[in-house]
Amino acid sequence: MRILVVEDEPKVGAALQDGLAQEGYESVLALTGEDGFFRLHEEGFDLVILDLMLPGRSGLEILRRMRKDGQDTPVLVLTARDTIEDRVIGLDAGADDYLVKPFAFEELVARVRALLRRGTPDEANLRVGALAMNRLTRSVTLSDDVVDLTLREFELLEVLMQHAGRVVSREMLARDVWKDTARATPLDNVIDVHVARLRRKIDGTTGVRHIQTVRGVGFVLRAESE
Ligand code: CA
C-alpha cells in the first residue's frame, strides 16, 4: 500500500510518514501542492492524505482536479479548523473522509485502514453489515428480511450505502437524490423527514442505529458492529 502525503509543514509531514511506516504503510511526502499534484499524475497511489491549507496550489484545487480527471483514489483531507463549511466543501469536492487538526495519530490510522479496506465496489450489490442492497432488482434486505422502501427512500439509502462509513452532506443528498442544487436550505426538512422514515424502516425497534446524524453536516451509515 502506497500513500501520498501532501503536507507543507515538514515536521508534521515527517511525523505522518514515521507513523505510517510503523503501521507498515509506504508513503511519499510532497511538501507543496504543486509537487503533490504532479506526483499524483505520474505515480500510482492507494490513498492520498491531503492537507487543505497549502501555499500555492491548494488542497481543494488538487482534489477537484483529481475528481474532474476521473481519479477515484481515496482522499483523506486534513483541515486546520473545525468549521462546518470546511468539512462540507471538502466532502463536496470529492474527499472521502476528513480529520481536523490536531488529531490523534490512532484516529488517522483508523481512517486510513477504513478507506483502504473499501476496495472496488461491486456494481450491483451493496452490503453494509446486515444490510444488503441489489441495485438491479431494487431490493433491500436486513438480515435476509425484505425491507419495503419507496423509490426516494431507496435512492437515499443507495447514496448512504455507496459512501458507507463516510459522511454524506445534505448538499450531496439534495444533488444526488433530489437532483436539486439550487435550494439547499428549504430541502433540509424534506431530507430529515425521509431520513427519519428510513431509520424507522431499517432500525425499527432493534435499538441499532445504522444512520447517524453528523450535526450541521449530514449523515453517515455504518455497520452496526463499527
Ligand atoms: Ca498546511
Side-chain angles (χ1 to χ4, degrees):
M1 288 294 179
R2 219 155 155 268
I3 299 174
L4 175 66
V5 178
V6 189
E7 166 65 70
D8 60 305
E9 292 160 68
K11 273 187 183 169
V12 178
L16 284 172
Q17 281 200 292
D18 282 350
L20 289 169
Q22 279 172 32
E23 297 293 322
Y25 298 119
E26 185 194 336
S27 66
V28 172
L29 177 62
L31 288 166
T32 65
E34 298 293 331
D35 189 26
F37 180 79
F38 288 112
R39 280 179 185 275
L40 269 169
H41 280 265
E42 283 163 12
E43 304 169 44
F45 294 98
D46 299 294
L47 178 82
V48 182
I49 298 175
L50 181 63
D51 185 24
L52 284 191
M53 295 286 286
L54 298 167
R57 201 187 287 260
S58 80
L60 270 185
E61 276 178 72
I62 294 171
L63 182 54
R64 290 206 174 103
R65 183 59 188 273
M66 275 178 74
R67 296 315 188 219
K68 199 170 162 239
D69 292 347
Q71 278 198 48
D72 59 359
T73 313
V75 174
L76 173 64
V77 151
L78 307 179
T79 69
R81 293 164 301 152
D82 186 12
T83 66
I84 286 164
E85 295 74 40
D86 281 6
R87 283 184 276 165
V88 169
I89 290 168
L91 292 168
D92 278 349
D96 296 275
D97 206 347
Y98 64 86
L99 269 181
V100 178
K101 289 181 177 179
F103 48 82
F105 192 75
E106 295 71 36
E107 184 63 24
L108 178 101
V109 169
R111 305 291 179 95
V112 164
R113 276 208 199 98
L115 288 173
L116 289 173
R117 209 170 39 215
R118 270 183 13 231
T120 327
D122 176 332
E123 286 295 311
N125 293 292
L126 295 173
R127 179 171 276 280
V128 180
L131 202 55
M133 168 179 282
N134 185 308
R135 298 159 85 190
L136 298 178
T137 59
R138 288 198 165 262
S139 60
V140 173
T141 56
L142 180 67
S143 303
D144 297 329
D145 292 329
V146 174
V147 183
D148 244 331
L149 298 178
T150 64
L151 181 60
R152 191 76 90 185
E153 288 161 358
F154 181 92
E155 289 177 348
L156 178 57
L157 182 62
E158 188 178 20
V159 174
L160 291 171
M161 286 181 80
Q162 281 175 308
H163 299 86
R166 293 175 284 163
V167 179
V168 176
S169 71
R170 289 164 181 280
E171 286 75 9
M172 283 167 73
L173 290 175
R175 186 186 60 216
D176 296 347
V177 179
W178 278 269
K179 319 293 179 210
D180 190 339
T181 49
R183 45 176 198 113
T185 322
L187 258 178
D188 275 1
N189 279 337
V190 178
I191 291 172
D192 284 342
V193 167
H194 280 83
V195 168
R197 281 190 199 144
L198 190 56
R199 264 199 188 119
R200 273 200 296 277
K201 289 187 178 180
I202 291 171
D203 295 337
T205 54
T206 58
V208 173
R209 297 272 280 187
H210 282 93
I211 304 169
Q212 290 155 14
T213 302
V214 181
R215 206 160 59 90
V217 179
F219 307 93
V220 58
L221 178 83
R222 294 185 197 279
E224 55 223 282
S225 57
E226 280 182 37

